[in-house]
Amino acid sequence: MASVTLENVSLRYRNGTLGLADIDLDIADGEFIALVGPSGSGKTTLLRSVAGFLTPTAGRILIGDRQLAGGSVSVPPEQRELGMVFQQHAVWPHWNVARNVEYPLRRARVSRLERQRRVAEALELVGLAGYERRDPATLSGGQRQRVALARALVARPRVLLLDEALSALDEPLRDRLRLELHTLTRELGLTVIHVTHDRSEALALADRVAVLDAGRIRQIAAPQTLLERPASPFVARFLSDATLVDGHVAAGRFRAADHPLALPCDLSLPDGSAATAAILPAAVRIVPGDDAVVRSTLFTPEGSDVVVTWHGMTLRVRTHGMRPQVGDRVAVEVGHAVVYPHEPAVAAELPVATPA
Amino acid sequence: MASVTLENVSLRYRNGTLGLADIDLDIADGEFIALVGPSGSGKTTLLRSVAGFLTPTAGRILIGDRQLAGGSVSVPPEQRELGMVFQQHAVWPHWNVARNVEYPLRRARVSRLERQRRVAEALELVGLAGYERRDPATLSGGQRQRVALARALVARPRVLLLDEALSALDEPLRDRLRLELHTLTRELGLTVIHVTHDRSEALALADRVAVLDAGRIRQIAAPQTLLERPASPFVARFLSDATLVDGHVAAGRFRAADHPLALPCDLSLPDGSAATAAILPAAVRIVPGDDAVVRSTLFTPEGSDVVVTWHGMTLRVRTHGMRPQVGDRVAVEVGHAVVYPHEPAVAAELPVATPA
Amino acid sequence: MTSTPLLPAGSAIRARGAVRRRTDGVDALVVALWLACGGLILLPIGALLVLAGRGDQLGVLLHGDVLQAGANSLFSATVSALAAVVIGTTFAVLLDRTDLPGRTVLRLLALSPLLMPPFVGAIAWLGIAGPTSPLNLWWRGTFGAPLWSIYGADGVILLLTIHSYPIAMLIVSAALRRIPTDLEQAARISGAGPARALTSVTVPLLRPALVSSFVLIAVGNLADFGIPSIIGLPERFVTLATLVYRYLQSGTVDDPLAVVATIGVVLLVLALLALVADGLLARRGWELDSSNAVPERTPLGHARVGVGAMMWAVVLLITVLPLLALLTQTLLRAPGVPLTWENLTLDHLVRAVTTPSALAGAANSTMLASLAAVICGILGLAIGVVVARTSGRAPRALGAVAMVPQAIPGIVIAVAWLILAPSLGLFNTPWLILVAYVTSFTALVVQAVAAPLSATPTSAEEAARVAGAGRLRALVDISARMATPAAVAGAVIVAVTAVRELTLSVLLLSPGSQTLGVAIFNFQQAGAFSTASAWSLIVALVGLAVIGLATRRTS
Amino acid sequence: GCSSSTSPAATAEPAAGALEPATITLYTSEPQEKADELVAAFNEIHPEITVEVFRAGTGDLTTRVATERESGGIQADVFLAADAGTFEGYAAEGLLLEYTPADVEALNADVVDAEGFYTGTRIIPTVIAYNTGIITEAPESWQELTDAAYADQIVMPNPDVSGAAAYNAAVWLDDEQLGEEWMTALAENRPVIADSNGPVSQAVATGAQPVGIVVDYLVRELAEQGSPIAVSYPSEGVPYVSQPVGIFADTEQAEAAQAFVDFLVSEEGQKLAVEQSYLPVRSDVGTPEGAPSMDEITILSPDLETIRSTQDAAVETFRSLFLR
Ligand SMILES: Nc1ncnc2c1ncn2[C@@H]1O[C@H](COP(=O)(O)OP(=O)(O)OP(=O)(O)O)[C@@H](O)[C@H]1O
Ligand SMILES: Nc1ncnc2c1ncn2[C@@H]1O[C@H](COP(=O)(O)OP(=O)(O)OP(=O)(O)O)[C@@H](O)[C@H]1O
Ligand SMILES: [Mg+2]
Ligand SMILES: [Mg+2]
């Protein structure tokens, strides 16, 4: 187990695509970090740089005190002492379970007896005790992923890397393995970097979540902080499905453009500056009235996930207890919103809910 | 649009596997039905029987008043006037978007002008207006799935069938498309049968959810009902991650075997009868104390998803607001549980949390 | 976000581990494979070019005979390849996508023409549709003229088709398995009947496979010698391959070797053009989602019995009938005697299996074919793995080089090796035939290996890297091991092809030795048809059994 | 070698004492079985000499010889194949060793090369074969074959491929009774052109074409097996080739090679040839069963020089007449 440090890491692919830009990341020993972000944001690139499959074009990567990449150094993956679990198919179909799990120990020239002991131990750990002789083809998807996990853990890696390790599984199974993964890594005190598309998975598992976009870390924080104080409209929208509204600041209040919406604003901006407000679904209440129409409602155990059209603005709302029906006419109360100085780039990338 | 009726439908595969057993299902015109169940429970078999790719070995299938299968009748898929979306989108890669969407109209010998009009209309509907000339290879996964949806809708099918239509998409996209699908089908008033692995998706979208297991419908009800009054330990466990506890009924109370747990029980069973209690995670409270240990906690926006070991019993708990840490010693209060007469079959199938 | 300071373009340091990666075992492997391919493939081709460059052969090439033969070759090769692709595709679709009765047996039978040496097939077919086949005799007796004689262009095309459609069937089958059934079912739901779903969705998606198999077959048929020589010559249908033979036989040209080499180079260029065209066309394929769904079989419904009966009839006609013809020729006491019980004898069969030279040939062929299978298997596996699993120009070029010999007629490869042999010390050793086999057949294994490997994700090796294996180690432990079954399948095909090979060994044999193909051909040339038939029958039946066992094991 | 050294036959050959043990390589177009018998019989007399046989069609043999010349020398010692023309060519290029076999006076003078580079070993006449099941009245002469009754009924080998056939073409063209006129008339009957003699005999035996122009020994062999086939020696005379044998000049085993050549034309060698159904090149060994005696057959023995010089043109004429 060890800490992982990325200093100023950039990576440009041969075709010119910028995979990572100026990444600074300190992962403490034993910490569980999740990387989320839209497709193409660089999550896999970051993970594979740590694993050693990609070499940064600038910056340094360290595990513990050992420099793995940077300058003229580039330690190949096989010498980095890592464990890694892939999204799919990474259990070798031509070997049985024990042979699969044993492989890292063979490479490390561990003796036969010791190998047997540790394979049994690792399989026990992932709940597959006694599966040594099984052919991977006879295992279910979840069992295979557990074999991959056992293989990643058996050689006591310094860091565990997970690239969408749970994404290929069906939901109930994913849910179960998520729990197991958490229990296991906490018990072993492992340092983990976990790449995922699934926002609730990232929030559920990680000590800190890093939100990537276009090769940069946009925010890295504990789950609670991310939800409550998103650092940018992008993060608010990506993580919490916030509705983004363009407008301007006037007399300490945010006023939406062409829309009755006005909100208190604690941002100290000169009057008249353009600003963007992020309205979190949980900060909106639906009350009786008739200036908005319910377009869609999805059932959740706690309430409903509702989309309303409100004076031409499409607003996402999360209710508690109350379950409006499609077509209902309602009124909308926005409790508060996070207001940011206007960022044209973000507005261009993600269609903001500008009132039509 | 039409109602769908399955009467006593059974299907046995050539190799002897029972795919469906005595399915009775009435789907009203315009209803949105979701099918969930463990892998291999027969969801796909049911959907494909309605589509016409499989012929039931017994029973009848009707859409509206027209019998599609049963007795000597077996209308082939192409004459059933259905729309269907597959997990892997199944957009034909050798044709552009317009040609893909237009295909059902060509088969129905719709005139060229009319076809153009309706293709444009369908693409508009799924938010891809102007994409007519695009090559599917240049589209993202979500866009392809929308093309598939447009293709399924363009010929105004009587029923829309979805087989894991959203499962292959990444989470944020899946979330968005889920909303769009709901809005769209509600606006068109379509009858929909939607197969999914994802329990929250089924609950979110459907008017009624059918829970399948081993080829049988175990319960079919509105989402709220399913969560509050699961018809069997299996349904409680499958849908709500309820912890199942074996025990017996004594003096109107349920007593767990080898465990201090005792609960009021409104089941009228003779004293001493074996029973199974399903403890829903939301019905458990964690309070200060020290007879249980927190094994794992997953963050959720509302609280935590916690696993505790309580006198040897592994119990899943959903907290609100409170966020215990792994290793905390706590006490557990079970508010209520749903108690069922003991079903040995279920106990054999799903490992019940019998106190160790 | 666009204002961040980035590395200057063209910075010395580049991504993707390109930074001063030390040369490792994989590089050594690539170098070793280049050496092997250089020696086994580029060397003989070079010898051929040198030989062809001697003197001015242009006049020869523009000679009327050559032009006519060239036209005949192109004609018979393209027409037969087209027909083979049509038949192969039809069979593949029927066998893979419908509930045809008796599919397993049918598939095996349908593959059997692959096992029969083309010249043996030609001999067998003479017994069926030759001018004196029972059918033609009866027809002549009744209507005064034979129904259809196999001699001539039509017969050549028919036999080339019969002997090459299994290749199309194999390639198309593999491609079919990669097309998700969802795509067809989406068409069904959209209102298309099964046949229309097939023609509007499945067949267009098969295009890359259809093009590849067409090119492969056309190139192979261009080089075939046995069929045009037995079936074509009697009706004066001369192709480039038989013309090569004639130039060698009759001293009508001054420098036959140079002329033959020149014709070989022409065929080589034709074949290279075809391969390039295939590369361009096939590259424009579609990326298909992998489908984990079990391919669905379309029930044929009421047509099942009819289609099944037709399919069985056709397959029996083109596979079992020739075997029966061989059997009759083997058992008949002498050619021309009527088919009655008294005229049946096992003498020829006994004589066939007791003739020492033929037995020695069989033993020799078995030895050479097994060695060739092992060497081609290992070399092809290594090349296939390197081509499919490493990036860079050197490995890709390696793959292309390995495929080239497929296009060169056996007799031309043989001439090239014969020229080289004395300087390599291989002259008059069986190893000369072995290296020629390796030159010709390695491509079969490369092909078998590369296709499935390129479909498996790279994470399989990356997992091994992370587990502590170096690049070469990961390649050996994971990719090579995973591709081994495919390589074994390829090696089995090499073995059954090599065991009855004729054109290479007929020139390369050392005195006192023999191969099976040559032995059969000699029997036939010496007028011992019954003995030739007996051996042909044995080869075909043993081949069928081997393939049957091999496919049973893998399925 | 397969015979043991104790063979009593070793003493039966007066001229030949035991030689230095040696290995010679024979390139031959004799059928494998016959070649094997030949070597076995030779080894009865000379067990100390091992003969390696490379058997292939004449064309393959000449290709192999050509390639070997390209790349460092002919590997064969003795060449027993093809026709006199090939040997004349080799002799002209200085590839052959001059050698006149021991018993030369006993041989048919026609088959012995005047310059002594090669010697014929069998008389292989080309004759008319016919299927006895279909043809009731055997054609007696070449001329008869031009009769319209034989249209589409004839099969013959291709002079492009078969050296013997090329020679025949030249002889027919040279013959004053036959000549180009006869050949043109024959071509009008559209004979099927098979690639070699083997398939011709087969076609006649099975009745594919009931009449064939083919070497005689194949017909006798089939008839012996029971096929409905018979030979007719045409009245105008039969052209023949002599399957010459020669020694390559490069040989390092001249003595052994010469012993082999001697054996081929010796009484023993020729008896074996007769057993193998060939007509012999000496008159003291009889003729094969079912064959007429030598003096009953009219043999066309044209001037070999003329034939050699016209052969290429003859093949060309044949091709233009028969191969369109
Ligand atoms: N081998 C490559 N060559 C060139 N560009 C690449 C390569 N791999 C990735 N990229 C580009 O680098 C960027 C980051 O890609 P990366 O795969 O890291 O994203 P990701 O966040 O993992 O996305 P996803 O969620 O889709 O897996 C993208 O723009 C991608 O197109
Ligand atoms: N073609 C087939 N032949 C034989 N048995 C089959 C076939 N297809 C499915 N089955 C079996 O029928 C049962 C129901 O399968 P089905 O595919 O309907 O389940 P499912 O609920 O869709 O599962 P999943 O969630 O894994 O998609 C399973 O036991 C399965 O193994
Ligand atoms: Mg990724
Ligand atoms: Mg399914």
mmCIF file of all heavy atoms in Angstrom, chain A residues 12 14 48 55 57 77-78 82 92 94-95 103-104 107 216, chain C residues 4 6 15 17-18 460 462 465 469-470 473 477 481-482:
data_model
loop_
_atom_site.group_PDB
_atom_site.id
_atom_site.type_symbol
_atom_site.label_atom_id
_atom_site.label_comp_id
_atom_site.label_asym_id
_atom_site.label_seq_id
_atom_site.Cartn_x
_atom_site.Cartn_y
_atom_site.Cartn_z
ATOM 1 N N ARG A 12 -0.283 13.915 -24.327
ATOM 2 C CA ARG A 12 -0.853 14.181 -25.645
ATOM 3 C C ARG A 12 -0.689 12.929 -26.479
ATOM 4 O O ARG A 12 0.399 12.377 -26.589
ATOM 5 C CB ARG A 12 -0.132 15.363 -26.292
ATOM 6 C CG ARG A 12 -0.780 15.864 -27.563
ATOM 7 C CD ARG A 12 -0.044 17.053 -28.135
ATOM 8 N NE ARG A 12 -0.334 18.298 -27.451
ATOM 9 C CZ ARG A 12 -1.455 19.002 -27.646
ATOM 10 N NH1 ARG A 12 -2.361 18.574 -28.494
ATOM 11 N NH2 ARG A 12 -1.657 20.116 -26.986
ATOM 12 N N ARG A 14 -0.488 10.561 -29.890
ATOM 13 C CA ARG A 14 0.247 10.785 -31.133
ATOM 14 C C ARG A 14 -0.549 11.582 -32.148
ATOM 15 O O ARG A 14 -0.007 12.352 -32.902
ATOM 16 C CB ARG A 14 0.598 9.429 -31.759
ATOM 17 C CG ARG A 14 1.750 8.787 -31.064
ATOM 18 C CD ARG A 14 2.708 8.162 -32.056
ATOM 19 N NE ARG A 14 3.765 7.510 -31.286
ATOM 20 C CZ ARG A 14 3.980 6.202 -31.302
ATOM 21 N NH1 ARG A 14 3.262 5.428 -32.066
ATOM 22 N NH2 ARG A 14 4.939 5.687 -30.572
ATOM 23 N N ARG A 48 -4.464 4.609 -16.982
ATOM 24 C CA ARG A 48 -3.456 3.862 -17.722
ATOM 25 C C ARG A 48 -2.079 4.508 -17.616
ATOM 26 O O ARG A 48 -1.064 3.830 -17.776
ATOM 27 C CB ARG A 48 -3.883 3.708 -19.176
ATOM 28 C CG ARG A 48 -5.119 2.793 -19.301
ATOM 29 C CD ARG A 48 -5.734 2.861 -20.685
ATOM 30 N NE ARG A 48 -4.771 2.444 -21.689
ATOM 31 C CZ ARG A 48 -4.472 1.180 -21.963
ATOM 32 N NH1 ARG A 48 -5.102 0.221 -21.301
ATOM 33 N NH2 ARG A 48 -3.600 0.874 -22.869
ATOM 34 N N THR A 55 2.754 6.774 -21.270
ATOM 35 C CA THR A 55 3.797 7.564 -20.633
ATOM 36 C C THR A 55 3.458 9.037 -20.794
ATOM 37 O O THR A 55 3.267 9.495 -21.919
ATOM 38 C CB THR A 55 5.148 7.272 -21.285
ATOM 39 O OG1 THR A 55 5.336 5.864 -21.290
ATOM 40 C CG2 THR A 55 6.275 7.933 -20.512
ATOM 41 N N THR A 57 3.537 12.949 -21.355
ATOM 42 C CA THR A 57 4.465 13.767 -22.125
ATOM 43 C C THR A 57 5.121 14.816 -21.242
ATOM 44 O O THR A 57 6.128 15.396 -21.613
ATOM 45 C CB THR A 57 3.737 14.454 -23.297
ATOM 46 O OG1 THR A 57 2.398 14.733 -22.905
ATOM 47 C CG2 THR A 57 3.707 13.553 -24.496
ATOM 48 N N PRO A 77 4.885 -1.466 -16.874
ATOM 49 C CA PRO A 77 3.787 -1.864 -15.989
ATOM 50 C C PRO A 77 4.148 -3.035 -15.079
ATOM 51 O O PRO A 77 3.756 -3.055 -13.916
ATOM 52 C CB PRO A 77 2.679 -2.271 -16.949
ATOM 53 C CG PRO A 77 3.009 -1.657 -18.236
ATOM 54 C CD PRO A 77 4.476 -1.424 -18.283
ATOM 55 N N GLU A 78 4.918 -3.997 -15.659
ATOM 56 C CA GLU A 78 5.152 -5.208 -14.881
ATOM 57 C C GLU A 78 6.037 -4.966 -13.669
ATOM 58 O O GLU A 78 6.146 -5.812 -12.794
ATOM 59 C CB GLU A 78 5.734 -6.313 -15.770
ATOM 60 C CG GLU A 78 7.049 -5.985 -16.447
ATOM 61 C CD GLU A 78 6.866 -5.376 -17.835
ATOM 62 O OE1 GLU A 78 5.820 -4.730 -18.062
ATOM 63 O OE2 GLU A 78 7.772 -5.523 -18.673
ATOM 64 N N LEU A 82 1.362 -3.257 -9.160
ATOM 65 C CA LEU A 82 -0.014 -2.788 -9.043
ATOM 66 C C LEU A 82 -0.965 -3.961 -9.212
ATOM 67 O O LEU A 82 -0.585 -5.032 -9.678
ATOM 68 C CB LEU A 82 -0.306 -1.772 -10.148
ATOM 69 C CG LEU A 82 0.627 -0.574 -10.220
ATOM 70 C CD1 LEU A 82 0.361 0.234 -11.473
ATOM 71 C CD2 LEU A 82 0.427 0.290 -8.981
ATOM 72 N N TRP A 92 -8.462 -14.898 -17.988
ATOM 73 C CA TRP A 92 -7.942 -15.658 -19.134
ATOM 74 C C TRP A 92 -8.710 -16.957 -19.293
ATOM 75 O O TRP A 92 -8.698 -17.825 -18.413
ATOM 76 C CB TRP A 92 -6.457 -15.912 -18.919
ATOM 77 C CG TRP A 92 -5.706 -14.637 -18.777
ATOM 78 C CD1 TRP A 92 -5.752 -13.563 -19.619
ATOM 79 C CD2 TRP A 92 -4.823 -14.256 -17.715
ATOM 80 N NE1 TRP A 92 -4.944 -12.555 -19.161
ATOM 81 C CE2 TRP A 92 -4.356 -12.944 -18.007
ATOM 82 C CE3 TRP A 92 -4.362 -14.887 -16.573
ATOM 83 C CZ2 TRP A 92 -3.468 -12.273 -17.174
ATOM 84 C CZ3 TRP A 92 -3.472 -14.211 -15.758
ATOM 85 C CH2 TRP A 92 -3.028 -12.921 -16.056
ATOM 86 N N HIS A 94 -8.221 -19.562 -21.000
ATOM 87 C CA HIS A 94 -7.529 -20.833 -21.225
ATOM 88 C C HIS A 94 -6.967 -21.435 -19.942
ATOM 89 O O HIS A 94 -6.360 -22.493 -19.985
ATOM 90 C CB HIS A 94 -6.436 -20.671 -22.269
ATOM 91 C CG HIS A 94 -5.448 -19.583 -21.955
ATOM 92 N ND1 HIS A 94 -5.811 -18.264 -21.849
ATOM 93 C CD2 HIS A 94 -4.130 -19.621 -21.720
ATOM 94 C CE1 HIS A 94 -4.737 -17.541 -21.578
ATOM 95 N NE2 HIS A 94 -3.707 -18.330 -21.488
ATOM 96 N N TRP A 95 -7.135 -20.768 -18.812
ATOM 97 C CA TRP A 95 -6.631 -21.295 -17.552
ATOM 98 C C TRP A 95 -7.773 -21.382 -16.545
ATOM 99 O O TRP A 95 -8.694 -20.564 -16.582
ATOM 100 C CB TRP A 95 -5.549 -20.372 -16.995
ATOM 101 C CG TRP A 95 -4.238 -20.481 -17.698
ATOM 102 C CD1 TRP A 95 -3.752 -21.555 -18.382
ATOM 103 C CD2 TRP A 95 -3.228 -19.462 -17.782
ATOM 104 N NE1 TRP A 95 -2.513 -21.282 -18.877
ATOM 105 C CE2 TRP A 95 -2.156 -20.007 -18.519
ATOM 106 C CE3 TRP A 95 -3.113 -18.157 -17.284
ATOM 107 C CZ2 TRP A 95 -0.997 -19.288 -18.789
ATOM 108 C CZ3 TRP A 95 -1.959 -17.446 -17.557
ATOM 109 C CH2 TRP A 95 -0.912 -18.006 -18.298
ATOM 110 N N TYR A 103 -1.168 -16.394 -11.297
ATOM 111 C CA TYR A 103 -0.216 -15.878 -12.273
ATOM 112 C C TYR A 103 0.722 -14.788 -11.744
ATOM 113 O O TYR A 103 1.935 -14.872 -11.926
ATOM 114 C CB TYR A 103 -0.965 -15.412 -13.530
ATOM 115 C CG TYR A 103 -0.079 -15.071 -14.686
ATOM 116 C CD1 TYR A 103 0.521 -16.073 -15.442
ATOM 117 C CD2 TYR A 103 0.181 -13.747 -15.043
ATOM 118 C CE1 TYR A 103 1.343 -15.770 -16.510
ATOM 119 C CE2 TYR A 103 1.007 -13.435 -16.107
ATOM 120 C CZ TYR A 103 1.583 -14.450 -16.835
ATOM 121 O OH TYR A 103 2.406 -14.146 -17.894
ATOM 122 N N PRO A 104 0.210 -13.771 -11.063
ATOM 123 C CA PRO A 104 1.121 -12.738 -10.559
ATOM 124 C C PRO A 104 2.161 -13.329 -9.608
ATOM 125 O O PRO A 104 3.312 -12.869 -9.591
ATOM 126 C CB PRO A 104 0.195 -11.778 -9.825
ATOM 127 C CG PRO A 104 -1.143 -12.001 -10.406
ATOM 128 C CD PRO A 104 -1.192 -13.448 -10.786
ATOM 129 N N ARG A 107 4.892 -15.007 -11.654
ATOM 130 C CA ARG A 107 5.795 -13.984 -12.198
ATOM 131 C C ARG A 107 6.733 -13.461 -11.122
ATOM 132 O O ARG A 107 7.854 -13.085 -11.399
ATOM 133 C CB ARG A 107 5.014 -12.834 -12.812
ATOM 134 C CG ARG A 107 4.187 -13.178 -14.044
ATOM 135 C CD ARG A 107 5.000 -13.166 -15.318
ATOM 136 N NE ARG A 107 6.042 -14.188 -15.360
ATOM 137 C CZ ARG A 107 5.843 -15.487 -15.550
ATOM 138 N NH1 ARG A 107 4.607 -15.940 -15.713
ATOM 139 N NH2 ARG A 107 6.832 -16.328 -15.573
ATOM 140 N N ARG A 216 -8.853 17.552 -17.676
ATOM 141 C CA ARG A 216 -8.510 18.269 -16.447
ATOM 142 C C ARG A 216 -9.388 17.809 -15.292
ATOM 143 O O ARG A 216 -10.529 17.427 -15.493
ATOM 144 C CB ARG A 216 -8.786 19.771 -16.611
ATOM 145 C CG ARG A 216 -7.892 20.409 -17.580
ATOM 146 C CD ARG A 216 -8.338 21.807 -17.922
ATOM 147 N NE ARG A 216 -7.492 22.220 -19.020
ATOM 148 C CZ ARG A 216 -6.235 22.626 -18.865
ATOM 149 N NH1 ARG A 216 -5.713 22.730 -17.658
ATOM 150 N NH2 ARG A 216 -5.502 22.931 -19.906
ATOM 151 N N THR C 4 -4.331 26.892 -21.713
ATOM 152 C CA THR C 4 -3.291 26.217 -20.935
ATOM 153 C C THR C 4 -2.009 26.070 -21.747
ATOM 154 O O THR C 4 -2.046 25.786 -22.932
ATOM 155 C CB THR C 4 -3.744 24.810 -20.533
ATOM 156 O OG1 THR C 4 -4.512 24.295 -21.604
ATOM 157 C CG2 THR C 4 -4.513 24.821 -19.269
ATOM 158 N N LEU C 6 0.781 24.294 -23.318
ATOM 159 C CA LEU C 6 0.963 22.888 -23.685
ATOM 160 C C LEU C 6 2.364 22.687 -24.220
ATOM 161 O O LEU C 6 3.082 23.642 -24.491
ATOM 162 C CB LEU C 6 -0.044 22.503 -24.770
ATOM 163 C CG LEU C 6 -1.488 22.633 -24.327
ATOM 164 C CD1 LEU C 6 -2.409 22.454 -25.511
ATOM 165 C CD2 LEU C 6 -1.787 21.590 -23.263
ATOM 166 N N ALA C 15 3.961 10.454 -26.633
ATOM 167 C CA ALA C 15 3.135 9.631 -25.744
ATOM 168 C C ALA C 15 3.171 8.172 -26.161
ATOM 169 O O ALA C 15 3.839 7.780 -27.105
ATOM 170 C CB ALA C 15 1.702 10.128 -25.769
ATOM 171 N N GLY C 17 4.162 5.505 -24.553
ATOM 172 C CA GLY C 17 5.318 4.679 -24.255
ATOM 173 C C GLY C 17 6.374 4.719 -25.331
ATOM 174 O O GLY C 17 7.252 3.880 -25.377
ATOM 175 N N ALA C 18 6.293 5.723 -26.210
ATOM 176 C CA ALA C 18 7.285 5.769 -27.275
ATOM 177 C C ALA C 18 8.623 6.262 -26.745
ATOM 178 O O ALA C 18 9.642 6.116 -27.391
ATOM 179 C CB ALA C 18 6.818 6.705 -28.380
ATOM 180 N N ALA C 460 -6.756 -8.359 -22.009
ATOM 181 C CA ALA C 460 -6.277 -9.679 -21.597
ATOM 182 C C ALA C 460 -4.769 -9.653 -21.359
ATOM 183 O O ALA C 460 -4.276 -10.186 -20.361
ATOM 184 C CB ALA C 460 -6.637 -10.716 -22.654
ATOM 185 N N GLU C 462 -2.963 -6.824 -21.028
ATOM 186 C CA GLU C 462 -2.638 -5.773 -20.066
ATOM 187 C C GLU C 462 -2.761 -6.295 -18.641
ATOM 188 O O GLU C 462 -1.974 -5.942 -17.762
ATOM 189 C CB GLU C 462 -3.530 -4.561 -20.301
ATOM 190 C CG GLU C 462 -3.142 -3.848 -21.585
ATOM 191 C CD GLU C 462 -4.071 -2.705 -21.941
ATOM 192 O OE1 GLU C 462 -5.109 -2.541 -21.266
ATOM 193 O OE2 GLU C 462 -3.760 -1.975 -22.885
ATOM 194 N N ARG C 465 0.419 -7.882 -17.963
ATOM 195 C CA ARG C 465 1.487 -6.907 -17.724
ATOM 196 C C ARG C 465 1.440 -6.441 -16.274
ATOM 197 O O ARG C 465 2.435 -6.455 -15.563
ATOM 198 C CB ARG C 465 1.331 -5.688 -18.641
ATOM 199 C CG ARG C 465 1.487 -5.955 -20.124
ATOM 200 C CD ARG C 465 2.872 -6.399 -20.489
ATOM 201 N NE ARG C 465 3.917 -5.445 -20.148
ATOM 202 C CZ ARG C 465 4.188 -4.324 -20.813
ATOM 203 N NH1 ARG C 465 3.476 -4.005 -21.878
ATOM 204 N NH2 ARG C 465 5.175 -3.530 -20.433
ATOM 205 N N ALA C 469 4.203 -9.519 -15.894
ATOM 206 C CA ALA C 469 4.802 -10.146 -17.061
ATOM 207 C C ALA C 469 5.315 -9.071 -18.014
ATOM 208 O O ALA C 469 4.639 -8.073 -18.233
ATOM 209 C CB ALA C 469 3.773 -11.018 -17.775
ATOM 210 N N GLY C 470 6.479 -9.306 -18.603
ATOM 211 C CA GLY C 470 6.994 -8.395 -19.615
ATOM 212 C C GLY C 470 6.183 -8.514 -20.895
ATOM 213 O O GLY C 470 5.281 -9.347 -20.987
ATOM 214 N N ARG C 473 6.515 -11.996 -22.549
ATOM 215 C CA ARG C 473 5.906 -12.971 -21.656
ATOM 216 C C ARG C 473 4.380 -12.917 -21.746
ATOM 217 O O ARG C 473 3.702 -13.939 -21.832
ATOM 218 C CB ARG C 473 6.350 -12.620 -20.236
ATOM 219 C CG ARG C 473 5.930 -13.564 -19.191
ATOM 220 C CD ARG C 473 7.005 -14.573 -18.978
ATOM 221 N NE ARG C 473 6.369 -15.852 -18.837
ATOM 222 C CZ ARG C 473 7.027 -16.984 -18.674
ATOM 223 N NH1 ARG C 473 8.348 -16.979 -18.675
ATOM 224 N NH2 ARG C 473 6.380 -18.108 -18.536
ATOM 225 N N ASP C 477 2.228 -16.000 -22.866
ATOM 226 C CA ASP C 477 1.348 -16.632 -21.887
ATOM 227 C C ASP C 477 -0.123 -16.436 -22.220
ATOM 228 O O ASP C 477 -0.951 -17.303 -21.952
ATOM 229 C CB ASP C 477 1.598 -16.056 -20.489
ATOM 230 C CG ASP C 477 2.803 -16.716 -19.827
ATOM 231 O OD1 ASP C 477 3.316 -17.682 -20.403
ATOM 232 O OD2 ASP C 477 3.209 -16.264 -18.746
ATOM 233 N N ARG C 481 -1.365 -18.425 -26.097
ATOM 234 C CA ARG C 481 -2.099 -19.537 -25.519
ATOM 235 C C ARG C 481 -3.575 -19.499 -25.908
ATOM 236 O O ARG C 481 -4.182 -20.522 -26.189
ATOM 237 C CB ARG C 481 -1.970 -19.518 -23.996
ATOM 238 C CG ARG C 481 -0.558 -19.759 -23.503
ATOM 239 C CD ARG C 481 -0.144 -21.206 -23.771
ATOM 240 N NE ARG C 481 -0.964 -22.118 -23.036
ATOM 241 C CZ ARG C 481 -0.663 -22.592 -21.836
ATOM 242 N NH1 ARG C 481 0.479 -22.265 -21.290
ATOM 243 N NH2 ARG C 481 -1.493 -23.389 -21.213
ATOM 244 N N MET C 482 -4.121 -18.295 -25.944
ATOM 245 C CA MET C 482 -5.541 -18.208 -26.306
ATOM 246 C C MET C 482 -5.761 -18.571 -27.765
ATOM 247 O O MET C 482 -6.806 -19.095 -28.129
ATOM 248 C CB MET C 482 -6.073 -16.799 -26.023
ATOM 249 C CG MET C 482 -6.390 -16.628 -24.563
ATOM 250 S SD MET C 482 -7.238 -15.136 -24.063
ATOM 251 C CE MET C 482 -6.914 -13.942 -25.252
#
